[in-house]
Amino acid sequence: MSAPLKKAYHLFDKTLGNAGVFRVAFLAATIFYYVNFYDRIFNPVNLVLGIWAICVFVNVVFIKRLYFQMRHWFTFGLFMLASLLSVLLNWRDNLLFNFFTLGYSALYFVVFFGCTSLMDYHKAQRELRILLKIIVLLVTAITLAGALFVTYRLSITIDGYHFGFFEGRFYGIFTNPNYAGFLNALSIVCAQMLLTIDHRRKQKMRKVAKAFLWLSIPVNLVSLWFTDSNAALVLLGGYGVMLACGLRISYLKEINWKTVGRQSVFFLLAAVLICGGIFFTRTAVQDGTADAIMYTVTENEELLNEVSVQDTDDWVVALGGSERPLGSGRDVLVKQGLEIFTHKPLFGVGPANIETAGDRYLEDGLRFPDLHNAYLTILVGTGVVGFACCCTFFVSYLWSILNGVFNRKYRKFDRGVLPYVMAFILSYGIYAFAEKALVFHIDFTTAIFWMFMGYAGNMLIHLEKKYSAFVKRGKPTVAISGVSRERAQDLLEKSPIFAGAGVKVAFLLQRPARGEKPAQSGEREYRFTYVLPYQHSWRDRVYRALSLLFPRLALRHYIPDYDWNLVLDKLYYTGENPALQSLFLYNRRHNDDFEMVHLSGFEPPHQMPAPGRPTRALARITGVPLYTDHSVPPSQEL
């Protein structure tokens, strides 16, 4: 490439091809999609964003070729192929809009998820802080602007746009109160994350900024109550419960299915009580406000001239929300969606053809333009094949994030706001049961969801790199012997091998006594791992035969507590065991300098009781005396 072309590409990469600049600009533009009068400039803005998105996508995928470096690219690619097949099979219906929808879905994965996860950790954290500040500032300002209309008049309609309250719900300056409720809940979450980040950082934010964050929480909470959005309330309540549950489980001394299940049941009951309390509080606030409005209007002649008595009665009934069902007709949409699904269950009707299919297969068509359920939308739009691929992608991603939050080996490292971002992702998964914004929806809610997924992936990669550097720097050594737990403790505290500056992790493998549970320690940089005894059973012989092809399978059987990310430098062993073979194969695949040392050839002195050849060999290598009896000369102890 010539010098002028390099300069041109460098300029392109910093401007139109810059994924970070596009993400911030896209979110800042789409957050106003449901603001009154914004739809009049919607098409020009969307055209500019579409052209810019193509430039960024080409730069990331075809020029830099980063797609195959992104995690979970294979499962998402399968989902895109299944969706494309569904579009081609239904090519007669909205073909161009279907391709447009698929293009934005790929953009969400590549630009908002993949590029964010591959960013430098510190740049990603700085971008996250900027994004959180923008969201809190804009949403709080828009909410206060909507409240100003209420101080002038309860409800104002200008050219078909509603300001303030309408039909008993707080619209503010938005065209959709459900979207306003989502932004209020998101702003509260972002403010809480910023306060958490400020608490962890040494350089604190200014008092004015912190005061604004604390003030934004009650402002958005009150607005959320009056928007009467059930889904947004569930999002906020689910975030609080998921965060408390995640932090509680991540700091348990022992994590297993029993403890996780017990804690999950406890927090599930707490979630029911918290959500019930939130809905009860909302109803009480709405009823009290409606009574206050009724009293103020009837007692004030000037207001009585502006608001008729019939309108006032409607306020008392509607603002309480008692006559509006919680489901808001979504149960009917579920039945209609399943009925459409039965006509094309394998590959679906197409991602953007659901309303068209409703007019075709339903007698009266869909009750609303969409199904208001992201999972049902994917199932009906792409069929069983696409839905299975989509579930595979999201399950594999969530499993990796949960492993990063709950895995004990990351406890010694600062996980930052990863548990908080994980809690929002999980609560958004619950929120998607009431809204369609998950994959195929082009708006701010879908983009911010994929953005948070990318930030969580970036934090997970950073944790894995820190742990890998810690283990590689630690020069870990494994000693396999029949020593007791007290003897192992003595070795770890006194041996120059285990206590030296170059060794950070040490494993002692032994056969536990019957009924003895493996011991773990989160306070020191070591833990005990036990080898199961070899019984010469048919199951052990099968595992031993399979260990040549699948070392991890045998390790799971013989060493169930083995650390899978630990690559050893040297292995001390005392006798033959199928676990050693698997351990050797596993480490040799990751470390060409891996070495196994057999402890043999050391006979005990005749004047002392024989502690066993392997134990004495271990004592000779580690340099720790076997006995504390000072009457025995040190020269005769070995």
Side-chain angles (χ1 to χ4, degrees):
M1 186 182 293
S2 61
L5 288 178
K6 287 184 178 180
K7 292 182 179 180
Y9 172 72
H10 182 73
L11 180 63
F12 169 77
D13 186 48
K14 294 295 183 182
T15 55
L16 292 179
N18 193 316
V21 176
F22 173 79
R23 285 193 297 267
V24 176
F26 183 89
L27 293 174
T30 54
I31 197 173
F32 297 104
Y33 266 13
Y34 292 97
V35 174
N36 291 334
F37 298 105
Y38 188 79
D39 56 342
R40 300 189 178 186
I41 61 171
F42 174 81
N43 291 329
V45 172
N46 207 23
L47 179 62
V48 173
L49 290 177
I51 297 174
W52 194 356
I54 293 174
C55 296
V56 174
F57 190 85
V58 170
N59 185 35
V60 172
V61 176
F62 298 103
I63 299 179
K64 293 185 177 181
R65 299 179 182 179
L66 296 178
Y67 178 78
F68 296 105
Q69 300 180 24
M70 300 174 184
R71 297 195 174 186
H72 312 289
W73 65 267
F74 182 74
T75 53
F76 185 82
L78 290 178
F79 172 63
M80 283 287 99
L81 288 177
S83 303
L84 179 62
L85 184 59
S86 175
V87 171
L88 295 178
L89 292 176
N90 300 276
W91 61 273
R92 290 184 178 87
D93 300 327
N94 305 319
L95 182 62
L96 292 179
F97 189 65
N98 272 288
F99 278 115
F100 185 74
T101 303
L102 289 185
Y104 260 99
S105 301
L107 182 74
Y108 289 141
F109 175 80
V110 172
V111 177
F112 289 89
F113 171 75
C115 290
T116 307
S117 62
L118 294 178
M119 286 177 62
D120 177 72
Y121 173 75
H122 299 287
K123 290 183 179 179
Q125 291 296 303
R126 183 167 59 251
E127 182 181 284
L128 174 61
R129 291 194 297 270
I130 294 174
L131 178 65
L132 296 178
K133 293 176 182 178
I134 291 176
I135 291 174
V136 175
L137 180 61
L138 288 180
V139 174
T140 306
I142 293 173
T143 302
L144 292 175
L148 290 177
F149 287 94
V150 179
T151 60
Y152 172 69
R153 190 171 179 180
L154 296 178
S155 181
I156 303 175
T157 301
I158 302 175
D159 198 13
Y161 295 99
H162 305 290
F163 295 86
F165 285 89
F166 180 72
E167 294 182 349
R169 305 181 68 183
F170 180 67
Y171 279 62
I173 61 174
F174 290 100
T175 59
N176 189 336
N178 292 325
Y179 180 72
F182 171 80
L183 288 183
N184 292 138
L186 178 64
S187 178
I188 295 173
V189 171
C190 293
Q192 190 266 338
M193 287 186 185
L194 284 172
L195 292 172
T196 302
I197 294 174
D198 178 68
H199 178 71
R200 291 171 174 267
R201 295 179 67 191
K202 295 181 179 179
Q203 187 177 0
K204 305 296 182 180
M205 66 174 65
R206 296 180 180 178
K207 294 183 179 181
V208 176
K210 186 178 291 188
F212 176 79
L213 291 177
W214 282 111
L215 180 63
S216 68
I217 294 177
V219 169
N220 286 282
L221 184 60
V222 172
S223 175
L224 174 61
W225 277 336
F226 287 117
T227 58
D228 207 34
S229 174
N230 299 321
L233 272 181
V234 170
L235 173 67
L236 183 60
Y239 169 78
V241 173
M242 293 290 182
L243 178 60
C245 183
L247 292 177
R248 169 63 180 169
I249 294 177
S250 63
Y251 288 106
L252 290 176
K253 292 184 178 180
E254 183 177 357
I255 301 178
N256 51 44
W257 290 109
K258 184 177 180 180
T259 56
V260 172
R262 189 187 302 116
Q263 295 293 330
S264 299
V265 170
F266 171 76
F267 279 100
L268 181 62
L269 296 176
V272 174
L273 295 176
I274 291 174
C275 292
I278 291 176
F279 280 98
F280 175 79
T281 305
R282 182 185 69 177
T283 303
V285 171
Q286 289 174 339
D287 289 341
T289 306
D291 294 339
I293 292 173
M294 179 68 179
Y295 177 79
T296 304
V297 169
T298 54
E299 293 294 327
N300 193 320
E301 294 183 0
E302 295 181 359
L303 291 178
L304 192 60
N305 294 328
E306 296 183 2
V307 182
S308 64
V309 177
Q310 183 64 33
D311 292 338
T312 306
D313 293 338
D314 291 340
W315 280 109
V316 175
V317 174
L319 197 60
S322 58
E323 296 188 355
R324 193 172 72 90
L326 292 178
S328 301
R330 285 180 172 85
D331 53 341
V332 178
L333 289 175
V334 171
K335 295 178 181 178
Q336 291 181 332
L338 293 177
E339 185 175 349
I340 298 174
F341 169 73
T342 56
H343 290 84
K344 291 186 177 181
L346 192 58
F347 292 103
V349 299
N353 298 335
I354 294 179
E355 186 177 5
T356 305
D359 297 335
R360 180 180 301 164
Y361 299 122
L362 301 177
E363 183 177 354
D364 299 327
L366 280 176
R367 182 173 180 176
F368 295 105
D370 60 83
L371 296 175
H372 280 278
N373 188 315
Y375 306 105
L376 187 60
T377 300
I378 296 172
L379 179 63
V380 176
T382 62
V384 175
V385 177
F387 184 75
C389 295
C390 183
C391 289
T392 303
F393 165 73
F394 280 111
V395 169
S396 61
Y397 169 79
L398 288 177
W399 182 261
S400 63
I401 296 299
L402 292 174
N403 180 62
V405 174
F406 297 137
N407 202 320
R408 299 178 193 174
K409 65 186 180 184
Y410 298 137
R411 286 188 178 183
K412 59 175 64 69
F413 307 115
D414 183 16
R415 290 168 296 181
V417 292
L418 178 59
Y420 302 85
V421 177
M422 180 208 69
F424 175 78
I425 293 172
L426 293 177
S427 60
Y428 191 95
I430 301 174
Y431 172 80
F433 280 101
E435 295 294 339
K436 65 177 182 178
L438 190 66
V439 179
F440 295 130
H441 196 46
I442 307 170
D443 71 342
F444 174 82
T445 55
T446 309
I448 197 65
F449 168 68
W450 286 88
M451 195 84 166
F452 274 102
M453 286 180 60
Y455 287 130
N458 181 273
M459 297 176 202
L460 178 62
I461 293 175
H462 178 66
L463 276 178
E464 292 175 351
K465 289 181 179 179
K466 289 178 68 174
Y467 180 78
S468 178
F470 168 77
V471 171
K472 187 175 181 181
R473 184 176 62 252
K475 298 286 185 182
T477 303
V478 173
I480 299 180
S481 179
V483 296
S484 64
R485 186 176 301 183
E486 292 77 14
R487 176 62 178 163
Q489 185 76 22
D490 192 39
L491 287 170
L492 287 167
E493 291 180 353
K494 298 180 180 179
S495 171
I497 290 182
F498 296 112
V503 177
K504 298 295 183 182
V505 180
F507 277 72
L508 289 178
L509 310 183
Q510 71 176 11
R511 299 184 180 185
R514 182 173 297 180
E516 185 181 15
K517 296 182 180 180
Q520 295 282 350
S521 176
E523 299 176 357
R524 295 175 63 96
E525 297 174 348
Y526 66 85
R527 65 189 178 113
F528 299 101
T529 303
Y530 296 93
V531 179
L532 297 180
Y534 181 52
Q535 300 293 341
H536 294 282
S537 63
W538 65 270
R539 184 178 299 176
D540 288 322
R541 292 176 182 177
V542 170
Y543 275 104
R544 186 169 189 173
L546 292 176
S547 64
L548 294 174
L549 297 176
F550 309 103
R552 281 198 174 191
L553 182 64
L555 283 179
R556 289 183 185 274
H557 177 67
Y558 292 106
I559 313 180
D561 200 28
Y562 187 71
D563 192 334
W564 301 102
N565 290 325
L566 183 65
V567 179
L568 308 174
D569 292 325
K570 186 174 292 187
L571 170 64
Y572 295 107
Y573 69 100
T574 59
E576 295 297 331
N577 193 295
L580 299 179
Q581 186 181 36
S582 301
L583 207 58
F584 173 78
L585 293 174
Y586 175 77
N587 285 277
R588 203 57 184 268
R589 289 182 178 181
H590 298 84
N591 185 6
D592 294 334
D593 298 327
F594 174 68
E595 181 183 3
M596 292 181 66
V597 179
H598 189 271
L599 301 179
S600 61
F602 300 97
E603 294 293 337
H606 295 289
Q607 60 266 39
M608 291 190 302
R613 182 177 301 175
T615 305
R616 299 189 61 79
L618 185 65
R620 182 179 179 88
I621 290 177
T622 58
V624 180
L626 285 173
Y627 302 102
T628 58
D629 185 6
H630 298 286
S631 61
V632 180
S635 60
Q636 297 180 1
E637 290 184 355
L638 298 178

